[in-house]
Amino acid sequence: MTGLIRFERPVVVQLSRRSSERVVFDVNDAAAILLRDLHHATDKRRIAMDTCLQVLRGKTHPPAARRAFVAAALEARILRSD
């Protein structure tokens, strides 16, 4: 199970005050944001990254990655809509 793995419902984040909101539709996009845009190494970020990787490897399902991504985004104060 590789490639684009979509979330049932998108997650909306805003990466900085000056950036526009970004709609995250899939695990790949969530993983990219976690890797490139969240710079603080927290447990929630690590768990979200690990969960996204597990989805991409076919070992778990997208809702688990979505929940972990939402938790990390909330902690990083970038979550706009769940």
Side-chain angles (χ1 to χ4, degrees), residues 5 7 21 27 30 32 36 49 61 65-66 77 80:
I5 303 183
F7 292 147
E21 290 184 343
V27 173
R36 295 182 196 144
M49 290 174 64
H61 301 285
R66 186 184 185 283
R77 297 181 177 174
R80 293 297 168 253

Side-chain angles (χ1 to χ4, degrees), residues 38-71:
L38 296 187
H39 303 292
H40 296 287
T42 67
D43 285 339
K44 288 183 182 180
R45 177 180 175 257
R46 183 188 52 76
I47 290 167
M49 290 174 64
D50 289 344
T51 307
C52 286
L53 184 58
Q54 294 302 312
V55 171
L56 295 171
R57 289 180 175 165
K59 297 187 184 227
T60 194
H61 301 285
R66 186 184 185 283
R67 284 190 302 273
F69 177 69
V70 166

